Amino acid sequence: MTNAARPWIGLVFKCAAALALIFAFIFFMRMQEEQSFTERYRDKGTVSRAVVTGMETDELIRTGRKGRTTKTDIQVLSVRFNPKSTLAFRDYEEGVEVPAAPPSTGGAAGDWEYSDVIWVTKDVYARTRIGDSFLVVDTPFSGDGPELIEDIRSFDPASFYPGIAISLVLGAVLAVIGWAGPWKRRG
């Protein structure tokens, strides 16, 4: 290894360490975003019964800066629920009477406020049929729409911990190699 290449090798490892730490920060911020979203539903959410009125599958297509496209399959359920429910999520227990949407008037102008869509996983979509009923949580004035009560209950930020830990360990290892690697001049 030439003397001219030694500092560049260390710089590459230091940059890779910085990149790994940036990934740890991204995992952490994503965890905070998901946790904030879920906490808002837990604190201010109301529970209501939703009835599936329609089912669709579609593709979400994203185009990157270099013109590359990525396609993601999405499963969407159209539901009729009660956004004006007074049953708070924190007060919900099994066996409690859960409000449902009022009967349909048949007019789009009167029914629009009780209709929304929910993006679900493939498993949920596969076992759901039109007319099925399930519980959803909605927050007033949010614009995010209802979420399945199971998703709000089961959220655990621990699923982000492995990504954060691996990124931090990798960053530390690469930093140690970058600052004290075998290419450093000795003596």
Side-chain angles (χ1 to χ4, degrees), residues 76-151:
V76 181
L77 301 177
S78 298
V79 295
R80 182 169 170 75
F81 73 108
N82 188 351
K84 298 176 183 177
S85 172
T86 56
L87 177 59
F89 176 80
R90 63 183 167 277
D91 298 335
Y92 171 74
E93 298 174 358
E94 295 295 327
V96 171
E97 183 68 29
V98 179
S104 177
T105 62
D111 288 342
W112 71 270
E113 67 181 313
Y114 299 103
S115 299
D116 213 325
V117 295
I118 301 176
W119 291 20
V120 295
T121 62
K122 289 181 181 182
D123 296 337
V124 172
Y125 187 83
R127 66 176 186 255
T128 303
R129 300 289 172 253
I130 292 178
D132 285 357
S133 174
F134 46 82
L135 299 179
V136 295
V137 181
D138 190 36
T139 56
F141 316 113
S142 74
D144 288 324
E147 293 287 329
L148 297 175
I149 196 168
E150 295 87 19
D151 294 346

Side-chain angles (χ1 to χ4, degrees), residues 23-24 27 31 156-170:
F23 275 109
F27 280 121
M31 178 186 72
D156 184 10
S159 63
F160 290 92
Y161 295 163
I164 294 171
I166 290 170
S167 298
L168 289 174
V169 168
L170 183 61

Side-chain angles (χ1 to χ4, degrees), residues 13-67:
F13 278 98
K14 291 173 190 173
C15 289
L19 189 61
L21 295 178
I22 289 171
F23 275 109
F25 181 72
I26 290 170
F27 280 121
F28 177 76
M29 292 306 292
R30 183 74 178 132
M31 178 186 72
Q32 291 295 312
E33 179 184 6
E34 291 287 325
Q35 195 167 10
S36 172
F37 176 82
T38 304
E39 287 302 318
R40 187 182 73 221
Y41 275 86
R42 288 177 179 171
D43 293 341
K44 297 181 176 125
T46 59
V47 179
S48 70
R49 184 159 304 283
V51 176
V52 178
T53 59
M55 300 174 66
E56 291 183 38
T57 57
D58 204 351
E59 280 187 339
L60 182 63
I61 300 173
R62 294 188 179 129
T63 304
R65 290 187 318 213
K66 296 183 179 181

